[in-house]
Amino acid sequence: MKRRNGIFLCFADLRYRLIYYMNSYPLPMRAPPMPPRLEHKGPTLDTLHMVESVLRKFDEPLSLNRIKGLLPRKMMHATLREAIDHYKRLGCVTEGSKGVMWTLNVEPAFWKVVETWEAR
């Protein structure tokens, strides 16, 4: 190993003085589908934020009625359903027979299993 300007050089060609370390990145996620065309106004960003905040606090599935009870203000069932569907499309939420749960997971094997689950 040669030393130049206080830096040890361990390459055969001395023109290369930097070493780049790459982290092992998770496997690529599949791209979420394009959003459906809305014929009416969808949930507001504030509504989406409220729903996300409630879902992230719990490590267990929540029913829609329980989510509505935990929200800081009242929300119509249709609006909550649209917010849940929005997060399902993005792959952040999983819905099963016991309710809805925040499950942002980038492993493709996990999502293959989720697609086989029966939604209510």
Side-chain angles (χ1 to χ4, degrees):
M1 252 196 263
K2 293 184 180 182
R3 184 177 174 146
R4 182 183 294 172
N5 297 333
I7 300 172
F8 286 102
L9 302 173
C10 55
F11 295 100
D13 190 350
L14 297 179
R15 291 178 293 168
Y16 301 105
R17 295 186 181 149
L18 298 175
I19 299 173
Y20 291 101
Y21 294 99
M22 293 189 64
N23 293 333
S24 58
Y25 293 105
L27 297 174
M29 284 179 57
R30 60 186 158 101
M34 294 297 290
R37 184 153 185 88
L38 295 177
E39 297 177 13
H40 59 284
K41 291 173 71 172
T44 64
L45 186 58
D46 187 41
T47 300
L48 292 172
H49 178 71
M50 285 190 312
V51 171
E52 179 181 345
S53 297
V54 167
L55 289 173
R56 281 185 169 213
K57 287 180 187 173
F58 291 87
D59 292 333
E60 60 188 23
L62 301 172
S63 68
L64 293 184
N65 287 333
R66 176 102 191 271
I67 294 171
K68 284 199 284 190
L70 293 169
L71 290 170
R73 66 170 195 246
K74 291 185 178 183
M75 183 181 301
M76 290 178 51
H77 186 81
T79 305
L80 178 59
R81 179 85 259 159
E82 287 180 13
I84 297 295
D85 289 341
H86 172 76
Y87 283 124
K88 277 175 54 176
R89 181 183 60 81
L90 294 177
C92 300
V93 163
T94 303
E95 185 175 18
S97 60
K98 297 189 180 199
V100 180
M101 184 174 172
W102 186 266
T103 54
L104 181 58
N105 193 328
V106 295
E107 296 179 30
F110 172 80
W111 289 107
K112 286 180 183 176
V113 171
V114 168
E115 288 172 354
T116 64
W117 293 353
E118 180 181 334
R120 310 200 273 177

